[in-house]
Amino acid sequence: MSSYKDLRIVDNFYQTSAFFPMPTMMIGTIADDGSTTFGPYSLCSPYYVAGKGYYAMILNCRNSSNTAQNILKRKRCTLNFIYDDRKLFKEAVRMGWPGDTPEEKMKDCKFTLEDGLLKEADPNGTYPQVIKECYQVFECVWMDHLDNAQDDQPGELHGYPGPYHDFNGITSEFGAHFILKIDKILMKEKHYDAIVNGVKASGFPRVPVDYGYRDSKNFWYTRFTRPIPELLPIREGNLDSVKYAAKRIDPDVQFTDEACMKLINVPRIFLPTALKGCVDWAKQNGVTLITEEHMNIINDKRSKEKNK
């Protein structure tokens, strides 16, 4: 006999039929008067993470929301990840009431707003502002050409008629998905240093995680506690198998034995991709024999930031 009960799945299942851990972020968009307005969201996740030449998130939201309507109009948004602070979370919940206008949401707003890095680089451009009380911010633009969503128009606040897109733009009568290309990741200095120079428990930001589940009275979330490291499993491969694959990946670029040793712990399924990445780096840098020193540079994804 199963130890589980069969819970009926209903609309908004992540809130009504599950305890689903999610991030807490404030999404900033440009209102009709040119100011920045914010709405709290959790249904926003990584979408394109590698192999595309760019990186993207996907946002799932109500298509009549201020956020959706502003993205349809002006394409740009910011994803602001707030710290675990009871006052900040309370403000996020306050700003999530459906139907409030941008003016009502932003009246007496307790967040501090500032320009992002895109505005700094392009002073004449129009970009939503970011929230200062965050550990990181993604500055994004909606990729409206995907799924032929470029002709989707704002204005329907009581349900969009079909036909609908599959994964981008207006995807149902009341729903929308937006694939958001990440132009910039803004990181507070303490956490930037942790990522670039080596992370420790003290370098992790205080991150609130909401449960998704909400009842008729409360929105539930959990406070941040100190992160705990757990060692990755090590399954050491065979040097001969790495050398065999390395010799055949490209006739113009070869690897020393010491360089191959740097790849010995790469899972076999990922080895061809890792070798191809090494070869691409070698050709970009005029290298025909990859050494251990070269592998150290290749493996250090943050070498450019460290050099700065």
Side-chain angles (χ1 to χ4, degrees):
M1 180 179 242
S2 175
S3 61
Y4 293 96
K5 299 286 289 184
D6 184 5
L7 182 64
R8 185 169 60 92
I9 304 172
V10 298
D11 287 353
N12 294 324
F13 68 91
Y14 69 97
Q15 290 182 327
T16 56
S17 305
F19 299 102
F20 198 81
M22 298 186 292
T24 303
M25 65 185 76
M26 301 297 296
I27 298 187
T29 55
I30 303 171
D32 290 340
D33 64 359
S35 65
T36 299
T37 183
F38 290 92
Y41 284 89
S42 289
L43 294 181
C44 190
S45 304
Y47 192 71
Y48 291 139
V49 299
K52 296 287 288 187
Y54 58 89
Y55 306 94
M57 303 284 285
I58 186 165
L59 167 66
N60 182 357
C61 64
R62 180 170 46 85
N63 58 33
S64 60
S65 67
N66 295 316
T67 298
Q69 291 292 305
N70 289 339
I71 291 176
L72 287 169
K73 293 174 185 176
R74 286 170 281 273
K75 318 301 181 190
R76 291 201 166 274
C77 67
T78 59
L79 312 183
N80 301 260
F81 295 76
I82 62 173
Y83 280 105
D84 174 22
D85 182 298
R86 192 68 183 269
K87 293 182 294 185
L88 299 181
F89 198 86
K90 186 174 183 178
E91 180 71 346
V93 173
R94 180 192 72 81
M95 297 180 77
W97 186 257
D100 282 355
T101 66
E103 293 79 11
E104 291 169 330
K105 286 179 181 288
M106 297 306 293
K107 183 181 180 181
D108 300 323
C109 175
K110 293 181 173 57
F111 294 121
T112 307
L113 307 191
E114 63 182 32
D115 289 336
L117 295 184
L118 289 176
K119 183 68 173 179
E120 185 178 301
D122 179 21
N124 295 321
T126 302
Y127 306 94
Q129 290 186 296
V130 303
I131 293 174
K132 188 174 183 179
E133 293 87 356
C134 291
Y135 57 91
Q136 68 184 14
V137 179
F138 295 175
E139 295 191 278
C140 301
V141 61
W142 176 38
M143 304 183 70
D144 60 349
H145 64 283
L146 295 177
D147 206 9
N148 292 315
Q150 64 273 359
D151 296 326
D152 286 0
Q153 296 297 315
E156 297 286 349
L157 302 183
H158 302 288
Y160 275 80
Y164 304 111
H165 300 293
D166 292 322
F167 60 89
N168 191 36
I170 305 300
T171 50
S172 68
E173 184 178 2
F174 301 111
H177 290 75
F178 296 104
I179 299 178
L180 306 171
K181 176 178 172 289
I182 302 173
D183 287 328
K184 293 281 187 184
I185 292 182
L186 287 57
M187 187 76 62
K188 284 295 172 64
E189 185 174 3
K190 176 181 178 180
H191 315 304
Y192 173 97
D193 289 342
I195 288 178
V196 172
N197 298 315
V199 69
K200 299 178 180 178
S202 60
F204 278 79
R206 303 187 315 276
V207 177
V209 176
D210 72 67
Y211 275 100
Y213 177 78
R214 61 194 299 177
D215 54 31
S216 60
K217 185 178 179 180
N218 296 301
F219 195 97
W220 295 81
Y221 88 108
T222 182
R223 302 299 304 269
F224 177 79
T225 57
R226 188 178 179 87
I228 301 171
E230 184 65 37
L231 287 174
L232 292 168
I234 301 298
R235 297 181 182 178
E236 192 167 290
N238 182 280
L239 176 59
D240 289 338
S241 63
V242 175
K243 289 169 61 177
Y244 180 86
K247 286 179 180 178
R248 286 157 179 78
I249 197 73
D250 190 290
D252 298 324
V253 178
Q254 295 299 304
F255 294 72
T256 66
D257 287 359
E258 291 77 15
C260 290
M261 283 295 297
K262 292 288 185 177
L263 295 163
I264 202 169
N265 291 323
V266 175
R268 283 177 296 176
I269 194 171
F270 298 135
L271 184 57
T273 301
L275 288 168
K276 186 178 182 300
C278 295
V279 169
D280 291 343
W281 177 90
K283 290 185 174 181
Q284 292 170 9
N285 291 274
V287 173
T288 58
L289 180 64
I290 297 179
T291 66
E292 181 181 14
E293 182 181 357
H294 294 141
M295 288 300 300
N296 290 335
I297 297 172
I298 294 169
N299 289 336
D300 188 352
K301 295 180 180 180
R302 301 297 172 187
S303 59
K304 291 183 179 179
E305 282 107 329
K306 291 179 180 178
N307 290 335
K308 289 180 184 179

